[in-house]
Amino acid sequence: MSKMGGKDLYVEFDPLEGLVLRTLNDAKSAFCSFTYQPSFFERCSAPPLLQQQRRQRKNKNNKNTNNKRKSSSSRTRSTVSSTADDEDDEDDEDEVYKCRIPLKAMAAVTKSRKGVSSLRIRNETSTNPQHQMFLLTFEFHMEHKGNRLRVVHRLGVEDADGVRAVADDENASEIVALPKFLLRMMEPLKKSEEVAFIVNDKAKLVTMASFHHHQYVGEASAATTDGAGNNAVLQSKSATLLKTETSVGADEFDEFHFVEDRKVKNATSSAKNDSALPSNVNEEVTLVCSLREPKALLQFFDTGTDDDVRVSLHFHWGGKPLILQTKTPTFCGELVMATLDYKLLRRGGGDGDHNQQRGHQGHQQ
């Protein structure tokens, strides 16, 4: 998660639900979440110290709620019932241990170590009565050539509600593959900061291509402004760019499902509606996003999980989130990536990235 580019790690723990780790990068374009089921751990229990703190805060809130009830006795039964249900949900939420940790400090604690036999994570409170704070303690038990070593790290944590991503995978296209297979497609693009992930259902072809904004600006200017395409600065930048793409057939993936029955409005209504779909959305979609985050996640899935784990990619069209998910009986990982709006990929008023489409045709030939 330290490779996601965020500053904070949000932790949630419930002995019945497991451990959830979340982070959001500084640009708010990538959200990552790991969920470890209780069965992943040898033993887990609720942190009593934080429960006591939250219980005191909850009792204070209940007193305020009771006072409000006395002053507003004219509520209907339905309103009271709804309020009670909301309070029950809040009570359940209060039982969850939540905190925020600096991601850089967390990365230093959880770095790879040799000879680790066990790791115990627990919540503590500082012994200084004048400056009481909560700590998250990591206790490593290590063995090396018959010698036993105990290493303890204590991190100061802050009470925080955490972050969540709002992304819907309903009615989304889906591709399922091994992490190693997707990493093989990304390997030739390792010098690129951003990539265009292009899925052509008509040709049954999936392409990953390096994406360069300088190239886009130069070509868009040439298509829309007389003489602008002769800009020497833009041309010099474009001439030094390395343009790479990798393509595979749809049958190379474990699963390939492309939604091809979306309702597309006519050109007149689409021009007036910002939420209109691309005109060729039922044939091809182009998703432009950063390469760093999905590559880091796939590397973790490839080395840190089971050999037979699969990654699911859910997507709609440019401008909608790209969702990477994997799930095992004890672990669930998710990455939500923002993608470039398809309207910004237009050339001279047309829909779609014509250069990428020309690249598809050349590959097929």
Side-chain angles (χ1 to χ4, degrees), residues 226-260:
D226 293 338
N230 297 324
N231 188 306
V233 176
L234 294 178
Q235 285 187 349
S236 62
K237 289 183 178 180
S238 179
T240 59
L241 295 176
L242 175 63
K243 305 166 188 176
T244 309
E245 73 171 37
T246 58
S247 301
V248 296
D251 55 353
E252 297 290 336
F253 298 96
D254 293 358
E255 295 182 26
F256 180 88
H257 172 65
F258 190 90
V259 178
E260 56 183 9

Side-chain angles (χ1 to χ4, degrees), residues 286-300:
T286 301
L287 307 168
V288 177
C289 64
S290 171
L291 178 64
R292 175 183 175 179
E293 293 84 0
K295 186 175 181 180
L297 191 73
L298 290 172
Q299 288 174 340
F300 173 76

Side-chain angles (χ1 to χ4, degrees), residues 19 21 36 40-44 106 108-113 115-122 136-143 149-155:
L19 176 68
L21 307 176
Y36 296 89
F40 178 85
F41 306 96
E42 292 184 2
R43 184 178 72 254
C44 57
M106 187 69 174
V109 171
T110 57
K111 64 181 180 180
S112 179
R113 304 166 188 260
V116 176
S117 59
S118 65
L119 168 62
R120 182 183 181 187
I121 306 174
R122 63 180 183 274
L136 203 60
T137 302
F138 296 80
E139 183 178 322
F140 291 88
H141 292 266
M142 310 171 67
E143 295 183 3
L149 180 65
R150 175 174 169 265
V151 180
V152 179
H153 299 280
R154 291 181 175 88
L155 292 178

Side-chain angles (χ1 to χ4, degrees), residues 3-5 23-25 27-33 165-168 186 193-195 197 287-298 313-325 334-341:
K3 296 183 179 180
M4 295 297 156
T23 187
L24 179 69
N25 68 349
K28 297 183 179 180
S29 60
F31 168 84
C32 184
S33 174
V166 180
D168 186 13
M186 294 179 177
E193 294 185 0
E194 292 183 303
V195 295
F197 180 67
L287 307 168
V288 177
C289 64
S290 171
L291 178 64
R292 175 183 175 179
E293 293 84 0
K295 186 175 181 180
L297 191 73
L298 290 172
L313 284 76
H314 302 271
F315 56 91
H316 294 84
W317 57 85
K320 292 282 190 177
L322 171 64
I323 306 174
L324 283 75
Q325 293 178 335
E334 180 183 62
L335 174 66
V336 180
M337 292 289 302
T339 63
L340 191 64
D341 195 312

Side-chain angles (χ1 to χ4, degrees), residues 173-193:
S173 301
E174 181 181 11
I175 292 177
V176 180
L178 286 167
K180 191 181 299 293
F181 180 78
L182 296 174
L183 286 171
R184 195 176 300 121
M185 289 187 66
M186 294 179 177
E187 180 60 26
L189 307 171
K190 58 184 177 182
K191 298 296 183 180
S192 303
E193 294 185 0

Side-chain angles (χ1 to χ4, degrees), residues 299-317:
Q299 288 174 340
F300 173 76
F301 291 161
D302 184 41
T303 59
T305 56
D306 299 334
D307 295 337
D308 59 346
V309 69
R310 298 295 190 273
V311 176
S312 300
L313 284 76
H314 302 271
F315 56 91
H316 294 84
W317 57 85

